[in-house]
Amino acid sequence: MEEKTHPSVVLEMVVVGDPQSLEKKKAAILKAGPGNLQVIADFDATLTKYWVNGCPGHTSHGLLQLGNPECENKMQKLCEYYYPIKHSLTIPFEEKAKHMEGWQEKGHALLIEAGLTLDAIKRSVADAKIEFRDGVVELLKLLEERGVPVLILSAGLADVIEEVLRQKLPRFPKNVKIVSNQMVFSNDGCLVSFKGKTIHVLNKNEHALDMASSVRDQFGETKGQSDDNVSVKRRTNALLLGDHIGDLGMSYGLNYEYQIAVGFLNDDVEKFLETYQNAFDIVCVNDAPMWGVVELVSQICPSRGH
């Protein structure tokens, strides 16, 4: 059995740029109570590990086994071209956003061309190098017990994320919603199109609730956008989890009173630490486990009687 990292070891993997500001936010969110808190989380390399057994882990796009060498080669070339653009700190936002949209749309077209099926998604997830960070199961359980909704906003694939949650978690938390790119399948289970507008890394904010055709609940069923929008907008505070500077935009448009942003800096720590410190309230470095966030939630959403 794989040994888990104990919470006491995590302290060296967490960096706080402005402790005074963080404590002020924690106190305000604690005072407001869990009924006013919303968690907004990225999926790939945030809830999931960046490294798995010493190798880069799969993303919800990258885990798919297409069974089509030509399409897989085209997909790899897209990644090699667009990945440096995604992580560039010098390319203007609007220009980068156009590139990210182009990457997603070309990738989606290749998935259709390759003849992706529902059965292939299930097999791909079962064989994938994808694991949740240590502490994620405990975090989701804690948030569910406190009645705090979790909105997963991802530029990945909703159907794949749902399958990862089904296969990798003991059970699917009732408080989790997914906003991501949704597939449309034919009666025989073949991918034929995508629903709604394309969601990419730089537009996956709360407005994605309006962009996406629907929001998936824990059983993969769809719910009306208006209900979810009302539920989200009723919450006045947020805990945001992401691994990319662009993830800070996930809460854009809701004007939370207080927001604590946790950034996962998984690689190139020396190069990007200062940038992440200036952007996030808390930075978890070197593919850190989720125990630091579990402790944070325990502090701002204590159990009754504490």
Side-chain angles (χ1 to χ4, degrees):
M1 183 175 180
E2 184 180 353
E3 183 179 352
K4 289 189 175 182
T5 304
H6 190 275
S8 63
V9 180
V10 179
L11 296 177
E12 298 178 0
M13 306 177 76
V14 176
V15 180
V16 177
D18 188 343
Q20 186 175 357
S21 173
L22 176 60
E23 290 303 317
K24 178 182 177 181
K25 292 180 178 182
K26 287 168 59 177
I29 293 174
L30 172 62
K31 183 178 180 180
N36 287 304
L37 182 63
Q38 164 84 43
V39 173
I40 305 167
D42 173 50
F43 186 77
D44 294 317
T46 297
L47 295 180
T48 62
K49 295 179 180 179
Y50 183 81
W51 299 101
V52 176
N53 297 326
C55 300
H58 283 133
T59 65
S60 58
H61 271 106
L63 64 79
L64 291 173
Q65 300 170 9
L66 301 180
N68 184 317
E70 182 180 353
C71 287
E72 288 176 348
N73 184 51
K74 290 179 181 178
M75 197 75 77
Q76 180 61 33
K77 287 183 177 179
L78 285 178
C79 184
E80 292 172 356
Y81 177 78
Y82 285 108
Y83 189 81
I85 296 175
K86 173 184 175 181
H87 289 277
S88 172
L89 298 178
T90 59
I91 297 176
F93 179 87
E94 290 187 4
E95 180 181 345
K96 184 185 286 191
K98 289 180 181 178
H99 282 296
M100 295 301 99
E101 183 175 1
W103 186 7
Q104 288 287 67
E105 291 181 347
K106 291 174 184 176
H108 291 174
L110 283 174
L111 293 179
I112 296 171
E113 181 184 335
L116 183 68
T117 66
L118 278 167
D119 287 340
I121 290 176
K122 294 177 182 178
R123 290 195 303 270
S124 296
V125 171
D127 296 339
K129 292 187 298 182
I130 189 166
E131 296 178 8
F132 286 106
R133 295 180 189 272
D134 289 346
V136 165
V137 172
E138 291 80 358
L139 175 64
L140 294 177
K141 180 182 178 182
L142 178 61
L143 291 167
E144 185 177 13
E145 290 173 351
R146 302 295 190 269
V148 177
V150 177
L151 187 64
I152 296 176
L153 288 182
S154 174
L157 301 165
D159 305 79
V160 176
I161 292 171
E162 289 168 8
E163 190 61 32
V164 173
L165 290 168
R166 288 192 189 99
Q167 292 192 25
K168 304 295 184 179
L169 293 180
R171 66 178 184 83
F172 207 124
K174 296 178 181 179
N175 59 325
V176 171
K177 309 286 183 184
I178 301 169
V179 176
S180 189
N181 295 291
Q182 295 180 28
M183 300 175 174
V184 178
F185 293 91
S186 62
N187 290 334
D188 57 355
C190 292
L191 175 64
V192 293
S193 64
F194 283 80
K195 290 183 181 179
K197 295 182 179 179
T198 302
I199 299 174
H200 55 78
V201 69
L202 294 181
N203 73 350
K204 57 167 190 171
N205 50 46
E206 295 284 7
H207 293 306
L209 284 171
D210 300 315
M211 293 170 53
S213 58
S214 58
V215 179
R216 301 263 182 134
D217 70 7
Q218 68 270 23
F219 300 108
E221 299 169 345
T222 58
K223 299 194 75 173
Q225 296 159 303
S226 58
D227 292 341
D228 287 285
N229 271 315
V230 169
S231 175
V232 169
K233 291 179 179 178
R234 193 179 296 132
R235 305 270 169 165
T236 56
N237 300 316
L239 172 60
L240 184 148
L241 311 176
D243 72 303
H244 188 271
I245 294 294
D247 288 336
L248 289 165
M250 291 192 295
S251 62
Y252 174 74
L254 283 192
N255 300 316
Y256 287 110
E257 292 180 14
Y258 292 95
Q259 173 178 287
I260 296 176
V262 180
F264 288 85
L265 179 53
N266 299 307
D267 202 10
D268 291 329
V269 174
E270 291 185 4
K271 181 178 180 181
F272 293 112
L273 181 56
E274 183 177 357
T275 300
Y276 272 61
Q277 275 187 265
N278 291 334
F280 292 94
D281 298 291
I282 301 170
V283 182
C284 300
V285 300
N286 294 320
D287 206 20
M290 194 63 72
W291 295 119
V293 180
V294 173
E295 177 63 22
L296 172 64
V297 172
S298 298
Q299 293 171 359
I300 61 178
C301 295
S303 59
R304 292 178 181 178
H306 281 66

